[in-house]
Amino acid sequence: MTVNSRGDRALYQQVADIIRADIASGKLKAGENLPSEAQLSGTLGVGREAIRQALGVLRAEGLIVTERGFGSRVREAQQRRIVKLRRGDTVIARMPSEPERREMDLDQGVPLLVLTRADGSSELLAGDATALNA
Amino acid sequence: MTVNSRGDRALYQQVADIIRADIASGKLKAGENLPSEAQLSGTLGVGREAIRQALGVLRAEGLIVTERGFGSRVREAQQRRIVKLRRGDTVIARMPSEPERREMDLDQGVPLLVLTRADGSSELLAGDATALNA
DNA sequence: CCGCATTTGTACGTATGTATG
DNA sequence: TCATACATACGTACAAATGCG
């Protein structure tokens, strides 16, 4: 598995593809730490920015989480709470704004579910911790 | 409205806050073009990278879309198709992977809804174009 | 159709700040 | 205290797409 600067895809996309595949295949397991940016940079032979962009893609996909001063690790599947929908309830999905994300303490790449009950009341639900059931 | 390098928030977050507020207030209307990165850089007195990071935040929130060689504009609300949920249907939300995003031609910052019908069949729905109704 | 200016995308380097262990 | 690691932010350069004359 290596990157190719002559490929039609950007280096950082190729890096993201490699890591995503490693996660999907189980070569990188949930909760496991990724190599540091510097290590990935050296191993794959690309600059740190390409590595950081790749990790940014994977964070936006909700596949990894990164902690400053520590590193990145494969995000673990969240326990899902099942929310029963009743007749007349409606739901839409969207991404939280940054302030909302901090407020609700959500990881990057986690969508929000806006549940509006038939009576007009509404709730914000973390998309990775919620399963809807009609 | 200006940025402050001594603030406790990063410059790019401050820039994102300003533009987000301009969108929320209607000062920047749906479909309207944002100033170019170079213009924002000059106007706000920060480097291009801080501007690009700010725009990246807003893209991830689904607030703007960017076209290479053209610029960024405020994303317009999508017409939502209403999907009726029947008893036994379940739905979870997640972000698409980059390959899925390109495949389904989704903008950044648009979540995916995975609808599994009671009979076991499932569908992928664009979160910004779908409203669930139980 | 062609060339040009504009604009975003990619990728590198460098430096400094800040959190973790 | 200290090394490690990520975050922020500047600069530079070139590639690639768009729109216009």
Side-chain angles (χ1 to χ4, degrees):
Chain A
M1 242 3 122
T2 182
V3 296
N4 176 358
S5 40
R6 294 170 305 291
D8 50 346
R9 287 171 66 68
L11 288 182
Y12 78 91
Q13 290 285 7
Q14 296 180 48
V15 173
D17 290 346
I18 290 172
I19 300 175
R20 192 187 300 109
D22 284 348
I23 294 174
S25 75
K27 191 165 150 190
L28 283 171
K29 295 175 183 52
E32 187 175 345
N33 274 239
L34 271 62
S36 73
E37 295 175 353
Q39 281 180 314
L40 289 170
S41 174
T43 304
L44 297 175
V46 300
R48 190 188 167 204
E49 176 168 316
I51 299 295
R52 282 183 59 74
Q53 282 204 61
L55 297 182
V57 167
L58 300 174
R59 274 193 296 273
E61 294 177 10
L63 290 179
I64 66 171
V65 290
T66 301
E67 282 176 72
R68 185 179 192 161
F70 174 72
S72 298
R73 62 173 184 280
V74 181
R75 199 150 169 279
E76 308 190 54
Q78 301 301 300
Q79 179 64 40
R80 288 181 191 271
R81 183 167 64 99
I82 295 176
V83 172
K84 273 282 185 193
L85 298 186
R86 297 184 287 267
R87 275 165 52 95
D89 291 350
T90 60
V91 180
I92 64 173
R94 65 171 172 83
M95 293 307 286
S97 68
E98 272 300 309
E100 279 177 330
R101 202 173 66 75
R102 280 195 307 278
E103 174 88 27
M104 297 183 66
D105 195 36
L106 300 174
D107 290 329
Q108 276 189 267
V110 175
L112 212 56
L113 292 168
V114 185
L115 165 59
T116 304
R117 294 294 192 182
D119 64 10
S121 65
S122 70
E123 281 178 83
L124 293 182
L125 306 167
D128 68 332
T130 309
L132 302 173
N133 208 302
Chain B
M1 235 12 112
T2 183
V3 296
N4 177 357
S5 38
R6 295 169 306 290
D8 51 346
R9 286 171 67 66
L11 288 182
Y12 79 91
Q13 290 285 7
Q14 297 180 48
V15 172
D17 289 345
I18 291 172
I19 300 176
R20 194 187 299 108
D22 284 348
I23 294 173
S25 75
K27 191 166 151 190
L28 283 171
K29 293 174 185 54
E32 187 175 344
N33 273 239
L34 271 64
S36 73
E37 295 174 354
Q39 281 181 314
L40 289 169
S41 174
T43 304
L44 298 174
V46 300
R48 189 189 169 200
E49 176 167 316
I51 299 294
R52 282 184 59 75
Q53 282 206 60
L55 297 182
V57 167
L58 300 174
R59 273 195 296 272
E61 294 176 9
L63 289 180
I64 67 171
V65 290
T66 301
E67 282 177 71
R68 184 181 194 161
F70 175 72
S72 298
R73 62 174 184 280
V74 181
R75 198 148 172 283
E76 309 190 54
Q78 301 300 301
Q79 179 65 39
R80 286 181 192 272
R81 183 165 66 99
I82 295 175
V83 173
K84 273 285 186 194
L85 297 187
R86 298 185 286 268
R87 275 165 51 97
D89 292 349
T90 61
V91 180
I92 64 173
R94 64 171 173 83
M95 292 308 284
S97 67
E98 273 298 310
E100 278 177 330
R101 203 173 66 74
R102 280 195 308 277
E103 174 89 26
M104 296 183 67
D105 195 36
L106 299 175
D107 290 330
Q108 277 189 267
V110 175
L112 214 54
L113 292 168
V114 185
L115 165 59
T116 304
R117 294 294 191 180
D119 63 11
S121 65
S122 71
E123 279 178 86
L124 294 183
L125 306 167
D128 68 333
T130 309
L132 303 173
N133 207 301

